[in-house]
Amino acid sequence: MARNEDTMADGESNAGTDERLITTDVTAGLDEESTATTDSSRTVIDARNVDFYYDDVQALDDVSLSIPEGEVTAMIGPSGCGKSTFLRCINRMNDLIDIARFEGELRLRGKDVYDDDVDPVALRRRVGMVFQEPNPFPKSIYDNVAYGRRIQGMDENMDEAVEQALRRAALWDEVSDQLDKSGLDLSGGQQQRLCIARAIAVDPEVILMDEPASALDPIATSKIEDLIEELATEYTVVIVTHNMQQAARISDKTAVFLTGGELVEFGDTDRIFQDPDSDRVEDYITGKFG
Amino acid sequence: MSNESAPIDLRGDRGFQDLRERIYQVAFLACAVISVLTTVGIVLSLAVPAVGFFQNVSLGEFLLGTQFSPAIRPKVFGVLPLVFGTLLITAGAGAVALPFGLLTATYLAEYAPPGRRAVLKPMLEVLAGVPTVVYGYFALVYVTPLLNAIPGLELGTFNALSASIIMGVMIIPMVSSISEDAMSAVPDSLREASYGLGATKFDVSTGVVIPSAASGIASSFVLALSRAIGETMIVVVAAGQTARFPGDVPGLLTSFFKSTQTMTSAIIQLGLSDLSGGTTAYRALFAIGLTLFVMTLVLNVVSDLLVQHYQEDYD
């Protein structure tokens, strides 16, 4: 997937991108309702004018937003609104799809992840991901957690690292005496926490979660939600969810995508849910649309 | 359209349907029984003459004898040289087919763009459709002279090496096709999980896809090897008819360069010779056939056990 050359002509030369670490100023010409910058925290991920296409179908339309460090940012919206596509742009998982095409800028700590010199493998080692369906490898619990560290050559102190990751994922107490059991033998909720342990074992900066609780029952879901809030003390978490109550419960910032891949509103979760600027967002949140 | 107040008619046509279903059931059962009966018949037709053979030659003499000389006095009927020849050539074929087949499958399942896979896979499967007698003459006429051109390598006109290599080529499609099916059945969610952790394509293939497809890959190996054990024409044409049983490792390795007889080629030799029906040598044909049958049966059972043991459901 080639990055569109147009981005080089939008007033910024590529040569300057490495030095600029944080982009906090609102770039002129941006749609004001689709952008919110926060004074209180550092920006980790900064998207500017992101368009995304699957062949001829546009999945994201001029999306700009800044995701702050150490908080939970939720992406909500109806099916097909582009929220998962946006999430997968961040760690370039969309590269795996032949017909996908990205335009615009998407910076991780100032570095455009679609620059030619960026290796998606190196990027994904800093941006972990948890998927909708729990997808543990058909390996032991231990090997599941150790997998990411092994492929990254982080072989030392493996036992401690595995234990720590499982503790952080609130799974250690349930599996500590059966680490060589297959990860597939766990319940759905445990499998998802195993996948979270697997993602944090390699110590990423950002964790992307694509509807991580949608395949789980309410009790398992509430455990995952508690865990997400806990994780936000150490990591930046970006979570896609179709469950508005979940977004309201666990996130600090909320981005609302509506049909056509348009980011309609982005801001503090409390404000979005209590007093959104956009009527369309209000309609969606109150259930009149979507 | 029925009147709203009248009860609807749900009686259908039970009698006719029941009869039709019964006819289908009997017809399908008959087909299944035919193949089972054929198998039983073959086993019996092997076993009955073999019993006659074992009245003249003891089971121990047959199974443990290291000499096979059915035509020249003193006639001895040790099956070990034939088993050795069979395993030698099968091992050689496996050494060619297993790595090449597995790597080919990995390429097809993980690396090849869909368009290229659609072209390559059928082309590869054509290899399995080449008549084995053609493979045999190809080994004899082209491969052996080619190998002899390598300095320091001196092969007999008939030798186990070229037969092994060509037999290996023949069974590559079995390994690659079944392994590729198993690897393609590994859910993409596992690949995504691996890529999401910063894995390269090679990490994903070797660390996730191949282990997850282990049962299918193992059964492709066993199926291909049992195909090699039973293969006849290639060895008859290219490997020669000398039963040998080396006592040591160097002898084992140099056997590759010499004429070697397998169980299948011994059966052909006995069958085509001017032995009359009632002789011990003629009956030896059936004892060898039965041994071959038992060996492939064991391999098939092993294959089933492997599949069960490594079976992973991905949910």
Side-chain angles (χ1 to χ4, degrees):
Chain A
M1 186 175 60
R3 182 183 171 214
N4 193 295
E5 296 300 322
D6 289 352
T7 52
M8 292 181 62
D10 69 357
E12 296 169 346
S13 76
N14 256 8
T17 55
D18 291 2
E19 285 77 46
R20 259 184 309 121
L21 283 174
I22 314 162
T23 321
T24 43
D25 56 320
V26 179
T27 315
L30 282 176
D31 196 356
E32 61 175 22
E33 68 173 3
S34 66
T35 308
T37 38
T38 46
D39 318 24
S40 54
S41 45
R42 256 180 90 173
T43 298
V44 177
I45 296 159
D46 194 29
R48 290 283 160 242
N49 309 100
V50 169
D51 292 330
F52 194 86
Y53 303 86
Y54 296 106
D55 251 345
D56 301 333
V57 182
Q58 185 159 15
L60 292 174
D61 184 4
D62 198 28
V63 172
S64 299
L65 82 166
S66 301
I67 292 170
E69 181 174 42
E71 295 189 10
V72 178
T73 300
M75 317 236 155
I76 62 172
S79 299
C81 68
K83 56 193 192 297
S84 287
T85 297
F86 181 78
L87 193 76
R88 284 161 174 261
C89 284
I90 298 173
N91 67 343
R92 291 184 60 172
M93 283 301 273
N94 289 323
D95 286 20
L96 303 174
I97 302 166
D98 289 334
I99 57 169
R101 187 157 52 91
F102 176 94
E103 291 173 13
E105 276 179 45
L106 207 160
R107 298 182 182 281
L108 175 69
R109 294 208 182 280
K111 174 67 179 170
D112 191 334
V113 301
Y114 285 88
D115 271 350
D116 290 340
D117 62 351
V118 171
D119 179 3
V121 168
L123 170 68
R124 291 177 199 138
R125 289 178 178 187
R126 305 184 68 152
V127 183
M129 189 158 194
V130 176
F131 299 83
Q132 182 169 2
E133 295 279 336
N135 55 357
F137 300 124
K139 299 172 187 282
S140 71
I141 292 169
Y142 184 99
D143 287 340
N144 261 282
V145 181
Y147 177 84
R149 294 182 69 85
R150 286 191 180 130
I151 59 173
Q152 299 191 21
M154 301 155 75
D155 287 321
E156 64 289 339
N157 303 327
M158 190 62 90
D159 290 352
E160 289 110 283
V162 168
E163 178 176 342
Q164 199 189 11
L166 284 168
R167 282 189 190 281
R168 279 190 193 158
L171 190 59
W172 175 255
D173 293 339
E174 291 158 61
V175 302
S176 60
D177 56 348
Q178 46 183 358
L179 292 177
D180 43 10
K181 206 167 103 174
S182 169
L184 294 169
D185 292 341
L186 298 173
S187 72
Q190 289 174 322
Q191 287 189 11
Q192 195 61 301
R193 278 179 282 148
L194 178 62
C195 293
I196 292 172
R198 181 174 68 185
I200 59 183
V202 295
D203 225 13
E205 287 183 54
V206 179
I207 301 175
L208 308 177
M209 296 188 168
D210 190 357
E211 305 196 24
S214 67
L216 305 178
D217 64 68
I219 293 169
T221 299
S222 97
K223 282 189 183 169
I224 297 282
E225 289 183 3
D226 291 346
L227 177 57
I228 290 168
E229 289 180 281
E230 178 70 29
L231 289 174
T233 59
E234 284 179 75
Y235 305 96
T236 301
V237 178
V238 187
I239 177 170
V240 164
T241 176
H242 62 243
N243 180 334
M244 281 181 282
Q245 287 73 35
Q246 185 173 65
R249 277 195 299 268
I250 62 174
S251 70
D252 304 296
K253 295 275 189 296
T254 296
V256 185
F257 288 75
L258 293 179
T259 38
E262 183 193 356
L263 173 62
V264 181
E265 193 161 348
F266 176 57
D268 289 335
T269 298
D270 293 344
R271 189 187 61 74
I272 295 269
F273 279 91
Q274 281 157 23
D275 182 26
D277 291 337
S278 159
D279 293 342
R280 291 164 68 200
V281 169
E282 185 162 3
D283 286 351
Y284 175 66
I285 285 171
T286 55
K288 286 182 194 153
F289 158 74
Chain B
M1 288 294 137
S2 59
N3 190 310
E4 277 178 29
S5 58
I8 54 169
D9 182 0
L10 290 174
R11 280 171 300 172
D13 199 0
R14 282 280 294 283
F16 175 65
Q17 271 179 16
D18 284 354
L19 178 68
R20 199 173 53 180
E21 287 298 322
R22 186 154 308 176
I23 291 171
Y24 287 155
Q25 195 186 350
V26 170
F28 297 156
L29 177 68
C31 293
V33 167
I34 285 174
S35 56
V36 172
L37 284 181
T38 311
T39 311
V40 171
I42 289 174
V43 173
L44 284 179
S45 70
L46 281 176
V48 171
V51 167
F53 171 79
F54 287 119
Q55 280 162 358
N56 296 332
V57 181
S58 77
L59 193 63
E61 200 180 323
F62 176 71
L63 288 181
L64 302 175
T66 57
Q67 261 200 313
F68 183 75
S69 167
I72 304 159
R73 287 174 198 283
K75 293 184 179 177
V76 277
F77 299 95
V79 81
L80 277 184
L82 305 179
V83 172
F84 168 77
T86 298
L87 294 181
L88 181 77
I89 290 179
T90 301
V96 172
L98 304 193
F100 278 90
L102 181 59
L103 296 183
T104 305
T106 309
Y107 175 75
L108 289 175
E110 301 301 310
Y111 286 83
R116 197 173 300 163
R117 170 174 18 182
V119 175
L120 279 180
K121 205 178 173 188
M123 279 176 66
L124 200 71
E125 281 162 3
V126 167
L127 273 183
V130 176
T132 53
V133 66
V134 173
Y135 274 123
Y137 279 100
F138 183 73
L140 179 70
V141 177
Y142 292 101
V143 178
T144 298
L146 201 68
L147 291 171
N148 263 330
I150 299 171
L153 208 55
E154 277 186 44
L155 300 178
T157 309
F158 299 102
N159 62 83
L161 187 61
S162 62
S164 288
I165 291 171
I166 286 303
M167 198 190 287
V169 171
M170 181 189 73
I171 60 176
I172 283 176
M174 270 186 105
V175 176
S176 65
S177 193
I178 299 172
S179 296
E180 197 261 340
D181 289 344
M183 289 158 84
S184 295
V186 172
D188 276 340
S189 65
L190 295 183
R191 293 185 181 83
E192 287 198 324
S194 184
Y195 281 122
L197 287 162
T200 61
K201 192 156 247 189
F202 185 76
D203 293 329
V204 173
S205 306
T206 56
V208 175
V209 176
I210 290 177
S212 301
S215 72
I217 292 169
S219 66
S220 83
F221 285 1
V222 178
L223 276 175
L225 290 180
S226 72
R227 174 84 174 77
I229 285 180
E231 169 50 33
T232 309
M233 279 320 289
I234 294 177
V235 286
V236 166
V237 173
Q241 293 283 19
T242 313
R244 60 177 72 249
F245 190 73
D248 52 11
V249 174
L252 191 154
L253 291 176
T254 54
S255 297
F256 268 118
F257 307 141
K258 299 175 187 162
S259 167
T260 303
Q261 193 169 41
T262 64
M263 299 164 79
T264 50
S265 58
I267 291 174
I268 293 286
Q269 189 191 28
L270 292 171
L272 293 181
S273 63
D274 49 4
L275 295 163
S276 54
T279 61
T280 306
Y282 179 77
R283 286 179 181 146
L285 188 161
F286 296 92
I288 297 167
L290 196 63
T291 314
L292 192 58
F293 176 79
V294 170
M295 277 173 70
T296 37
L297 187 70
V298 167
L299 268 186
N300 284 341
V301 171
V302 167
S303 161
D304 281 352
L305 290 178
L306 277 176
V307 170
Q308 281 170 25
H309 184 254
Y310 287 109
Q311 193 84 61
E312 298 288 2
D313 42 356
Y314 304 111
D315 303 319

